[in-house]
Amino acid sequence: MASVVWLFSFWFACFSLSVMAKRTYIVQMNHRQKPLSYATHDDWYSASLQSISSNSDDLLYTYSTAYHGFAASLDPEQAEALRKSDSVLGVYEDEVYSLHTTRSPEFLGLDTELGLWAGHRTQDLNQASQDVIIGVLDTGVWPDSRSFDDSGMTEVPARWHGKCEEGPDFQASSCNKKLIGAQSFSKGYRMASGGNFVKKSKEKESPRDVDGHGTHTASTAAGAHVANASLLGYASGTARGMATHARVAAYKVCWSTGCFGSDILAGMDRAIVDGVDVLSLSLGGGSGPYYRDTIAIGAFTAMEMGIFVSCSAGNSGPSKASLANVAPWIMTVGAGTLDRDFPAYALLGNGKKITGVSLYSGRGMGKKPVSLVYSKGNNSTSNLCLPGSLQPAYVRGKVVICDRGINARVEKGLVVRDAGGVGMILANTAVSGEELVADSHLLPAVAVGRKVGDVLRAYVKSVANPTALLSFGGTVLNVRPSPVVAAFSSRGPNLVTPQILKPDLIGPGVNILAAWSEALGPTGLGKDTRKTQFNIMSGTSMSCPHISGVAALIKAAHPEWSPSAVKSALMTTAYTRDNTKSPLRDAADGGLSTPLAHGSGHVDPQKALSPGLVYDISTQDYVAFLCSLDYTIEHVRAIVKRQNITCSRKFSDPGELNYPSFSVLFGSKEFVRYTRELTNVGAAGSVYQVAVTGPPSVGVVVKPSTLVFKNVGEKQRYTVTFVAKKGKKVQNRMTRSAFGSIVWSNTQHQVKSPVAYAWTQL
């Protein structure tokens, strides 16, 4: 009997190891090498897999548009066998991407009384935007939200090829003239969670959003007007998206354990075929070569087909070189604050009243101060309020100071509550600086910046019986200064291509009110039983759909414009001064922001609709850019998805791309020279003069200094030479970087390009 048990255990262990060895791989095929014996590429991909695997379930997806190839479940030996095939360009293990987790329309000048929008009547723009379709790749959608009401909308455009997927909790009838498509892609997620072999996934395979993130981003981009919207009384008013009359198509590619590259690629592939005009992706991973970047490869095809692609920059700021989604054909969006705040207060025992923020909406603490505690031991995590770190005997009935970091802000409040605490002060450390993000905590809680946090920590240590009483101030508008760059917003420089300045711009991304899934509470915690139709969230995930929605409006007004023209209009009209008329500031340290944090500046939708001039970029220009990188010809072909590419035309420097901003890397060179081309999208007979700003360490010469455009659509070139002056000190010795601008202007328009200078490569 013992031997039988041993044999069974040995067999089960071997089976488990074989299952464990299976991974999802994305296989990139040489599209042109399909044998004539196969009717379709799908047949060829399937046969290629069958040559090494007899299990038909191993084929997860075939890609035809965003990518050429397939995704399959393989063991390492099978993956290696495929790599040896001449028709295979690459075999890559599936990567996990993460989500980059109302007053903003008014803040952006998109309130309901638009009047004349630079020559476009509001009624005309609303009518035209009904022909624009925004595809949102995210956690799905809550179709019952009032933000997706289709009252007054016309029939769905005849060119639309998408569908509304039936699921266990999602009916085809859930779609309407506003939400015109909803599909889910889960095979990569299922494989990673062992769904095909060991257990079934706990999540239902349907487009329904049980996370909230996807509903929030979709409604931010194109939600309908909803009166009396709020988060439990906070930010009360009319909620609306950027393009209220645009259509929405939801592609669920993110699940409880993340967003898998194979699923994202399947969603992009489908969205392109369905006929979207804008793709919005509030997710990302690390940065790497474009031929290894799933989103970049899919976005290249989208761009080529006239689709504008907007992606979040990431929430890894204020660390330098922390950006995601940096391909030049992608709009990379950072985050800034609104002019709205949610003040909360803590009255200390010494009489001092400190100010922070909060979205707490419960009964409060009453009027009696209670003891205030903070634990900072050598080997303790109680200062961070991690699960299980607080001793109930120590915190019961008290307000607890928790350092921000490691675990979720709202989880810290839950940890305090479960240990018996009656309140929390969430104190920033040096990493988050003075940035304040409000949360709908489960107990009375106030978030404060680093400086106030240091005052609190010192207070607790300096008196025998420190006390605090928390109170809440509701919603405050017209906050100054704003916008301020969010500390969490990821920063440049761009490590993949240092000659391309990223991020491209910033949009509202802090404390944004938008629609929410009623499958969970506003904190997303399992113990949060509250239900709300709207939630307030922060992240570049929130700023990205703002830009997606504004891009939809621009495409409605100018359907003939290329994605790069739309991108140029958004970038060159962005502003770099806040509502106090001062340069944009950075929440990380309170100092001045730079283009490495805010790119071209903060989006200005009204000006973007009529930019005067645009920097246009063709597919051939992007190919010349790729050919200038240190890639093999096969790598370039893999991105472009055309085998006739020879790189006969390529730039001598990637910075020669006709980009709306400049990133000048001197290195050992004394000067850098670029030529740019501007297209007139304003009036015939327009004349522009150039103005240059910059550090004393750089000389800048622009020729010619005047551009005359006789006709609409006319193109004019200029050459700019940047000279590193010897003996001049650089603004920032530590990073050897400096900044300036090149502005072409007349009485109607200012076409502004930021310039970032670097003397050493990071």
Side-chain angles (χ1 to χ4, degrees):
M1 181 67 183
S3 61
V4 172
V5 171
W6 181 87
L7 282 171
F8 176 80
S9 300
F10 178 76
W11 172 85
F12 185 79
C14 291
F15 173 78
S16 299
L17 284 171
S18 67
V19 170
M20 291 282 286
K22 286 273 189 178
R23 295 284 186 273
T24 299
Y25 290 85
I26 298 175
V27 182
Q28 196 167 28
M29 301 291 285
N30 189 328
H31 199 61
R32 288 173 66 95
Q33 288 195 10
K34 179 184 76 69
L36 294 175
S37 55
Y38 296 105
T40 67
H41 281 87
D42 286 358
D43 293 339
W44 179 40
Y45 299 156
S46 180
S48 299
L49 180 60
Q50 288 174 8
S51 68
I52 58 165
S53 171
S54 58
N55 189 348
S56 60
D57 290 339
D58 284 347
L59 182 63
L60 305 182
Y61 297 111
T62 58
Y63 308 118
S64 60
T65 307
Y67 202 84
H68 287 164
F70 59 92
S73 175
L74 307 169
D75 61 40
E77 289 184 358
Q78 291 171 324
E80 192 56 38
L82 279 175
R83 285 191 182 98
K84 294 176 180 177
S85 170
D86 292 337
S87 58
V88 173
L89 296 176
V91 180
Y92 309 113
E93 192 166 343
D94 204 3
E95 292 185 38
V96 185
Y97 294 75
S98 58
L99 295 165
H100 290 151
T101 189
T102 288
R103 179 145 168 86
S104 53
E106 185 176 340
F107 182 66
L108 293 174
L110 292 176
D111 51 354
T112 53
E113 301 302 324
L114 273 174
L116 289 174
W117 234 39
H120 294 81
R121 289 194 308 149
T122 305
Q123 185 177 356
D124 294 340
L125 196 61
N126 287 341
Q127 183 66 32
S129 64
Q130 296 198 46
D131 290 329
V132 180
I133 303 165
I134 304 175
V136 182
L137 273 69
D138 213 295
T139 63
V141 65
W142 189 262
D144 317 280
S145 170
R146 290 179 291 163
S147 291
F148 305 115
D149 180 71
D150 66 351
S151 297
M153 296 199 71
T154 58
E155 291 300 317
V156 176
R159 62 184 175 83
W160 175 243
H161 300 297
K163 65 178 181 180
C164 205
E165 176 187 313
E166 291 273 0
D169 54 1
F170 203 97
Q171 307 301 316
S173 58
S174 298
C175 291
N176 56 22
K177 296 173 186 176
K178 178 66 171 179
L179 178 65
I180 64 172
Q183 299 176 61
S184 67
F185 303 87
S186 62
K187 293 178 180 178
Y189 156 71
R190 280 213 325 269
M191 282 304 307
S193 59
N196 270 15
F197 299 99
V198 181
K199 59 183 179 181
K200 286 289 183 183
S201 166
K202 293 180 180 178
E203 290 185 75
K204 294 178 181 177
E205 292 174 34
S206 91
R208 183 167 290 276
D209 180 14
V210 295
D211 176 273
H213 191 277
T215 300
H216 199 281
T217 56
S219 62
T220 297
H225 289 90
V226 180
N228 303 314
S230 73
L231 167 59
L232 306 175
Y234 283 99
S236 181
T238 297
R240 52 154 291 177
M242 298 297 98
T244 56
H245 290 75
R247 320 283 182 159
V248 175
Y251 299 86
K252 185 173 181 177
V253 298
C254 298
W255 305 83
S256 59
T257 53
C259 320
F260 290 84
S262 55
D263 296 332
I264 295 170
L265 207 49
M268 295 182 81
D269 205 58
R270 187 69 251 170
I272 293 169
V273 173
D274 286 348
V276 302
D277 302 293
V278 175
L279 271 175
S280 188
L281 292 87
S282 290
L283 51 89
S287 59
Y290 302 128
Y291 59 84
R292 289 293 310 273
D293 186 334
T294 299
I295 294 175
I297 294 174
F300 191 94
T301 300
M303 171 277 301
E304 195 172 12
M305 299 185 71
I307 300 169
F308 180 90
V309 183
S310 176
C311 294
S312 46
N315 296 342
S316 299
S319 300
K320 293 172 184 169
S322 51
L323 293 163
N325 302 316
V326 297
W329 49 88
I330 289 174
M331 175 66 92
T332 310
V333 186
T337 62
L338 289 172
D339 60 345
R340 178 182 65 194
D341 216 344
F342 309 101
Y345 312 97
L347 179 62
L348 306 182
N350 60 8
K352 284 187 177 180
K353 188 176 185 178
I354 64 169
T355 301
V357 297
S358 182
L359 292 170
Y360 174 72
S361 59
R363 294 174 57 186
M365 285 180 55
K367 297 182 179 180
K368 185 178 179 181
V370 301
S371 295
L372 179 67
V373 295
Y374 174 68
S375 176
K376 180 68 173 174
N378 292 330
N379 297 309
S380 172
T381 57
S382 57
N383 65 300
L384 289 165
C385 301
L386 301 181
S389 66
L390 297 180
Q391 297 297 322
Y394 180 61
V395 305
R396 187 176 293 115
K398 301 173 184 177
V399 172
V400 181
I401 298 173
C402 298
D403 288 344
R404 182 173 168 182
I406 308 299
N407 60 330
R409 300 181 301 271
V410 290
E411 184 181 59
K412 295 176 188 288
L414 177 62
V415 170
V416 172
R417 191 190 74 169
D418 287 352
V422 297
M424 175 183 72
I425 299 178
L426 181 63
N428 283 4
T429 60
V431 174
S432 299
E434 300 309 311
E435 171 187 74
L436 298 180
V437 178
D439 294 297
S440 183
H441 290 283
L442 290 169
L443 85 171
V446 179
V448 299
R450 181 188 63 82
K451 293 175 184 176
V452 172
D454 289 344
V455 170
L456 282 166
R457 296 176 188 105
Y459 166 65
V460 170
K461 294 176 182 177
S462 64
V463 298
N465 184 29
T467 63
L469 175 63
L470 308 185
S471 59
F472 306 92
T475 304
V476 174
L477 304 178
N478 302 313
V479 173
R480 298 159 74 91
S482 63
V484 175
V485 179
F488 61 72
S489 190
S490 289
R491 316 299 168 95
N494 174 358
L495 292 186
V496 182
T497 316
Q499 297 88 346
I500 301 295
L501 178 61
K502 291 282 184 170
D504 291 312
L505 46 54
I506 62 171
V510 179
N511 298 334
I512 304 301
L513 179 77
W516 189 244
S517 168
E518 294 182 53
L520 73 173
T523 63
L525 298 170
K527 292 186 178 181
D528 189 352
T529 58
R530 299 171 295 177
K531 298 297 180 211
T532 177
Q533 295 181 1
F534 291 85
N535 199 5
I536 292 173
M537 296 182 72
S538 298
T540 54
S541 275
M542 282 63 252
S543 54
C544 170
H546 277 88
I547 306 306
S548 305
V550 176
L553 289 174
I554 296 174
K555 285 184 75 73
H558 305 286
E560 75 283 3
W561 283 10
S562 69
S564 59
V566 175
K567 184 177 183 179
S568 175
L570 288 162
M571 290 173 65
T572 61
T573 58
Y575 60 85
T576 54
R577 291 189 173 270
D578 60 31
N579 58 2
T580 70
K581 308 301 181 185
S582 301
L584 293 177
R585 305 195 81 85
D586 192 331
D589 58 8
L592 295 180
S593 178
T594 75
L596 293 180
H598 63 243
S600 297
H602 191 284
V603 65
D604 186 333
Q606 295 206 35
K607 288 186 177 178
L609 199 67
S610 180
L613 304 173
V614 295
Y615 292 88
D616 212 348
I617 305 175
S618 68
T619 300
Q620 291 71 30
D621 293 333
Y622 283 121
V623 173
F625 161 81
L626 289 169
C627 289
S628 72
L629 305 178
D630 189 23
Y631 292 174
T632 66
I633 192 68
E634 291 303 327
H635 287 153
V636 175
R637 289 171 177 169
I639 300 165
V640 180
K641 293 172 278 291
R642 289 201 300 272
Q643 295 306 305
N644 59 351
I645 297 297
T646 61
C647 283
S648 57
R649 177 192 171 219
K650 65 179 179 179
F651 300 138
S652 59
D653 176 340
E656 291 180 15
L657 184 69
N658 199 41
Y659 212 66
S661 58
F662 294 85
S663 179
V664 179
L665 183 61
F666 284 115
S668 59
K669 294 179 288 188
E670 293 184 4
F671 73 92
V672 173
R673 180 175 292 135
Y674 292 134
T675 296
R676 291 286 198 265
E677 183 179 76
L678 284 162
T679 303
N680 181 27
V681 295
S686 295
V687 180
Y688 288 82
Q689 304 288 336
V690 74
V692 175
T693 63
S697 52
V698 180
V700 183
V701 178
V702 179
K703 292 183 178 181
S705 59
T706 301
L707 293 177
V708 179
F709 296 89
K710 295 179 180 179
N711 302 305
V712 177
E714 184 178 340
K715 300 177 185 295
Q716 293 283 353
R717 292 188 173 192
Y718 70 91
T719 298
V720 55
T721 304
F722 306 99
V723 182
K725 295 181 180 178
K726 294 181 179 179
K728 291 285 186 179
K729 292 184 178 179
V730 181
Q731 284 178 1
N732 190 332
R733 287 185 176 184
M734 292 295 291
T735 58
R736 287 183 60 76
S737 60
F739 307 95
S741 66
I742 295 174
V743 185
W744 291 94
S745 60
N746 59 22
T747 55
Q748 287 81 35
H749 303 286
Q750 276 198 326
V751 184
K752 185 176 182 179
S753 295
V755 184
Y757 301 98
W759 280 258
T760 56
Q761 190 167 334
L762 189 64

